[in-house]
Amino acid sequence: MSGWADAKAPSLAEIEALADAAFAALPDEFRRLCAGLRIHVDDFPDDETLTEMGCETEFDLLGLFRGVGLAQSGEVATGQMPNAVWLYRRPLLDYWAEHDETLGHLVSHVLVHEIGHHMGLSDDDMAAIEAAAEAIETPEA
């Protein structure tokens, strides 16, 4: 238990550093497809986002992609906000506290998921990709 008595929850800057490290670890071709994509970290989604996404509480959303995905041409029109991913610190920390995975893995997972939306993948597409990857990682005996 040493070290935990003085430990504090990771700050916005520390979550951002985890996201930056996760992004840097992605393959070059994946990162090239994300040119111009901005990554933001906030404590919670704003009220407008919570309403738009149909969230019951501010803890329901771990991350969000906003913008024009590559499947829709990916080009940002004049006056349009740049493509961006938001990661939400407090919901991430709450999820982390309830599950058995590292915070770095969780941040990386959510970041890649939201980048998947940027690339035009649906939640079902990403679930199928993750299931296929897990089958490769844990082959049957």
Side-chain angles (χ1 to χ4, degrees):
M1 291 297 271
S2 67
W4 284 105
D6 297 323
K8 295 181 180 181
S11 67
L12 290 168
E14 289 165 325
I15 299 294
E16 187 174 329
L18 287 173
D20 290 344
F23 186 80
L26 295 174
D28 289 341
E29 59 273 7
F30 195 75
R31 285 195 325 263
R32 276 195 294 276
L33 291 171
C34 297
L37 181 72
R38 296 186 181 180
I39 300 171
H40 303 277
V41 179
D42 286 330
D43 271 323
F44 289 106
D46 60 31
D47 290 338
E48 181 181 328
T49 298
L50 291 171
T51 300
E52 179 183 335
M53 299 304 293
C55 297
E56 292 181 22
T57 77
E58 62 270 7
F59 287 93
D60 290 348
L61 198 59
L62 303 179
L64 182 67
F65 167 73
R66 288 230 187 247
V68 179
L70 295 179
Q72 293 81 34
S73 84
E75 294 182 21
V76 178
T78 302
Q80 178 182 325
M81 296 299 290
N83 290 339
V85 166
W86 272 264
L87 300 177
Y88 300 113
R89 183 183 79 96
R90 294 284 306 280
L92 284 165
L93 294 177
D94 189 63
Y95 185 95
W96 175 53
E98 296 293 325
H99 294 84
D100 186 28
E101 61 187 284
T102 66
L103 184 56
H105 178 268
L106 177 60
V107 168
S108 180
H109 173 79
V110 173
L111 178 65
V112 169
H113 182 92
E114 298 310 330
I115 290 172
H117 286 305
H118 165 65
M119 294 182 175
L121 301 175
S122 70
D123 285 336
D124 290 341
D125 293 335
M126 286 181 273
I129 291 167
E130 287 179 10
E134 287 174 10
I136 292 169
E137 291 174 8
T138 55
E140 293 183 26

